[in-house]
Amino acid sequence: MIAAGRVAERGKRVLLLEKNKRLGEKLRISGGGRCNITNAEEDVKVLLSNYGESEKFLHSAFSEFGMKDAFNFFESRGLPLKVEDRKRAFPQSEKAIDVVNTLTSYVREEKVEVRIATPVRKIVVSDGKIEKVVISGGEYSADSYIFATGGVSHPETGSTGDGFLWLEELGHTVVKPTPTIVPLKAKNAWIKSLSGKTLTGGKITFYLEGKKKFSQAGNILLTHFGLSGPTILNCAGKVADLLYEGKVTAMIDLFPMLDIGGLDTKLQDHFDKNKNKTLRNAMRDFLPAGTADGLLTLVPTVDKEKKVHSVTKEERRLLVETFKELPVNITGLMGFERAVVADGGVPLTEIDTRTMRSLKDSKLFIIGDLLHIKRPSGGYSLQLCWTTGYVAGDNA
Ligand SMILES: Cc1cc2nc3c(=O)[nH]c(=O)nc-3n(C[C@H](O)[C@H](O)[C@H](O)COP(=O)(O)OP(=O)(O)OC[C@H]3O[C@@H](n4cnc5c(N)ncnc54)[C@H](O)[C@@H]3O)c2cc1C
């Protein structure tokens, strides 16, 4: 939308083809419906350092249309922004739909011809260059083509990877996105101290900014970097989405089948049978194998060497509450450098990044999630869309 609007603003005739019945489906769900529209880091060097190896390719594009330009673009069109922690910028209204509306108004005012519910079925290539695009019952050719078909995450929003297939036909490399079936990084001393041990029969619940999001039951492997094992690997995709929206924490419940009262009774019975053991020894056959010493560090106020018959009711209660809610601070996904949440697409070495023009076909421009740029959560993905979209729109 930003690319189409910008080309039209320069007096060109523009046709925007969208397969969905309305524009901006993915934008509507971005940032949990609040849309983290950009990252308000004013130091361009610091901002660009978040794009890893791509940093060196992005200076020119960002000097043409950077974060401040994105701020101006939206605020001058009646969408005031606000900045939250980690410099994440959102519309003051906290409504992603307002971002969609601002962009659709832009496109309309600049008289872009928009055809919704019009999927491009295929492209026709001749001599390695794009000749035309084919829709149901018709085809179009043009002086310039801008591909903005997105990546492959959340295909229900329309991004089903069509653009990647076309780009391969045109001789471009398409780097596969890093799969989000990965371990989770966590920063908790108790986890590190129990590296190599498995929490059996537990349940992990994930929270976004303190609000409960989802749970998964199963064995959890503790490692020196965080959490792993099949239960965790299967959660990674959802956690990646949550990391777009804010701080992610988790709680592990070691006894999900029992409520606090039930677990207290079970522990009391265990203590009755092991009256003269020290707490440390008694817990060894109550908790998953090899984890007692590490888990007891979570209750520093309770003396582990005292005999269980002298453990007070309050101390027992504290133990029970701790085993029901082992704290985990998720800091990112393993295998994704610097907590990267997205990548995959055409490498920037195949693009003239001053214009976003393809180096394989001078009529073609490639923008947004089609580009292979590793990036973390925090507004960096959409800023790339605004930058690359505007720059392509200035040159197509
Ligand atoms: C859950 C979630 C939350 C996110 N939240 C944020 C956030 O808060 N901040 C942030 O910076 N980033 C966020 N992102 C990332 C951000 O949404 C994307 O980087 C951005 O939407 C990419 O824009 P795009 O225009 O490249 O592609 P898309 O938004 O995917 O748009 C591609 C469009 O092309 C259309 N299309 C595809 N194929 C065809 C075809 N054959 N013919 C016609 N049309 C076609 C699709 O229907 C779609 O409308 C989030 C991503 C997800 C999955």
Side-chain angles (χ1 to χ4, degrees), residues 14 87 103 144 184 326:
V14 187
K87 303 198 177 170
L103 286 165
S144 295
L184 300 179
L326 305 176

Side-chain angles (χ1 to χ4, degrees), residues 209-379:
E209 303 285 358
K211 279 200 203 110
K212 188 171 165 176
K213 286 293 163 178
F214 74 100
S215 301
Q216 182 81 40
N219 297 346
I220 296 166
L221 175 64
L222 307 173
T223 73
H224 64 283
F225 57 77
L227 308 178
S228 192
T231 311
I232 294 300
L233 300 187
N234 288 331
C235 293
K238 281 195 204 166
V239 172
D241 281 358
L242 293 180
L243 285 167
Y244 268 123
E245 298 177 38
K247 189 164 181 269
V248 181
T249 52
M251 294 283 188
I252 298 172
D253 182 350
L254 286 178
F255 298 92
M257 307 308 274
L258 297 171
D259 61 11
I260 296 261
L263 183 57
D264 193 36
T265 309
K266 184 180 160 93
L267 186 58
Q268 171 75 72
D269 289 350
H270 184 71
F271 282 177
D272 287 346
K273 287 183 200 130
N274 295 276
K275 274 195 186 67
N276 290 316
K277 281 191 183 167
T278 61
L279 176 63
R280 188 184 300 283
N281 279 339
M283 293 318 290
R284 289 196 172 134
D285 47 0
F286 189 78
L287 294 169
T291 64
D293 285 352
L295 292 177
L296 286 172
T297 62
L298 289 167
V299 280
T301 54
V302 182
D303 177 7
K304 284 79 183 172
E305 307 311 330
K306 68 158 77 168
K307 296 280 192 303
V308 289
H309 62 70
S310 58
V311 171
T312 65
K313 198 173 151 197
E314 288 71 32
E315 287 173 330
R316 202 179 63 230
R317 186 78 179 190
L318 183 63
L319 290 167
V320 163
E321 284 169 0
T322 305
F323 301 148
K324 294 278 301 167
E325 291 199 326
L326 305 176
V328 186
N329 291 322
I330 306 289
T331 55
L333 308 174
M334 271 308 279
F336 283 63
E337 294 157 39
R338 302 157 66 100
V340 155
V341 294
D343 65 0
V346 175
L348 294 184
T349 46
E350 297 181 10
I351 310 273
D352 173 358
T353 49
R354 289 164 307 170
T355 57
M356 302 322 294
R357 194 189 294 273
S358 155
L359 293 176
K360 307 266 177 204
D361 181 349
S362 59
K363 281 187 167 184
L364 177 65
F365 295 78
I366 304 168
I367 61 175
D369 276 4
L370 285 174
L371 299 167
H372 176 51
I373 301 175
K374 292 189 175 185
R375 53 204 189 263
S377 60

